[in-house]
Amino acid sequence: MSGSSADMLLVPDTSFISWTTVYAWRISTFNTGIFNHRKISDKYDKVFQTGCQIPDTTQPRANATFVVLARNKELEGVIESIKSVERHFNHWYHYPYTFLNDGDFNQTFMDTIRNHTSSPVEFGKIDPSMWGFPEWADKSWAKEGIARQGDDAIMYGGMESYHHMCRFYSGFFYKHELLQKYDWYWRVEPEIKYYCDITYDPFVKMIEHNKTYGFTIAVKELKETVPNIFRYASAYKRMNNLTSKGLWEMFVDRPEEDEDFMPETDIRKKPPYTLDPAKLEPGQHPFIDPEAMEGEAYNMCHFWSNFEIARLDWFRSKEYEEFFQMMDRSGGFWMERWGDAPIHSLAAGALLGVSDIHYFRDIGYRHTTIAHCPANAPARQLDREPYLHPGTHDKKKQLEEDDYWATPDKTKENGVGCRCTCDTDVPEVEVKQGSCMIEWVHVAGGWASP
């Protein structure tokens, strides 16, 4: 489960109609059904591999790992994910897996996972200092805030464990002892699905192109989950005299309305949690003026972090740690339902440039009801070799699993995928309301083709 409620957001909602004329244009573009086949400018970023290649397994691997946060009860969903990762990528490249749990993994879970991959696997327990309420927090205050979100029917807002998970992925996963030896990570969630073969090494390509963070889906968050998050992110940027490197604008909506004429109920009028600077504890950050966001407002866009490939030294940097500490001390992980997706995204917006980001447009991916599946690249397809997953012991089922992928979708103009077979029960995220593709295209240099 990712630190975002985007799967609920991506449905028709009349509240979208009042947004900018750009959004009206976007809707008309969506309705054409061709949005996801247009080429994006390669001014700052470009697809690493268009179509297929023969996997080159002779080259050195990156110092990288898959990271899976899961509990024993999620075993079936984890198996589903591992089988997909192995089929479409890792049976060639054999990158290790790191499994993390706030409890203890049982022997059944560990044995089953090892049965489904030939790659090295490690299992770790999350220290209580990384999971749960921090020592400096008023636990009764935090629990009350979570309970209120449950009463208000905010998506996942009443689930204490969800808040812990979001905070862990925002500011702690990269500090876990099992990850200290790695430079890169690829996040894997239970119950995810890859649609295309990935016949190159994304880690190596990220290094070669000097990238820091990679995504495959960008969507909008539910406003009620993060009403004050942008206030603190904007304040961090302002207090540290940071100038945008071009990415911040992806997450900014400059409302046409003058703030003086906003209704008092507008979320941008609400004060943050810490109202009295005299009540700040040592190490806490100062009061943030609710009227001092330089006319900017959060457009709710974020990189959907349940898939991300990123440099761990960025998360470990002094700048990111200071960003996280400011966000953490605000209380937003408890009094609101801040997810790690907007935290990672706003940090990237403040600290990174567009050229530091890579859109894995060629990687087809699905989690819950949101999916990105590219068209297959013309004249760039190669015959597929059968892959019988070793963890599936029934021979007939092995053949059935493999047969599903035997006939990829047809190629299309401007397609970039390799042997993709897309689901037909969910639409392409690039053409759904709530997508942030146009915001990415805007900062990335625009369209390269009609």
Side-chain angles (χ1 to χ4, degrees), residues 23 79 95 245 296 326 355 436:
Y23 193 77
I79 291 172
Y95 275 101
K245 300 176 183 178
E296 297 176 334
M326 182 167 184
S355 61
C436 289

Side-chain angles (χ1 to χ4, degrees), residues 368-418:
T368 65
T369 59
I370 301 180
H372 165 60
C373 193
N376 283 317
R380 297 289 185 91
Q381 302 301 301
L382 297 175
D383 291 339
R384 186 187 70 91
E385 294 183 2
Y387 171 73
L388 303 181
H389 185 70
T392 302
H393 299 298
D394 183 280
K395 188 68 173 180
K396 181 180 179 182
K397 190 173 182 180
Q398 273 188 329
L399 293 171
E400 289 175 350
E401 288 176 350
D402 191 62
D403 186 61
Y404 176 86
W405 302 99
T407 309
D409 296 342
K410 294 181 179 180
T411 62
K412 293 183 180 180
E413 183 181 3
N414 293 333
V416 294
C418 169

Side-chain angles (χ1 to χ4, degrees), residues 111-123:
D111 290 345
T112 303
I113 294 300
R114 291 190 176 103
N115 186 48
H116 281 273
T117 178
S118 59
S119 296
V121 181
E122 288 188 294
F123 300 91

Side-chain angles (χ1 to χ4, degrees), residues 36-52:
N36 61 317
H37 301 314
R38 297 182 68 182
K39 292 183 67 175
I40 301 172
S41 168
D42 61 3
K43 181 178 181 180
Y44 299 105
D45 182 50
K46 61 181 179 180
V47 173
F48 289 151
Q49 173 66 41
T50 298
C52 306

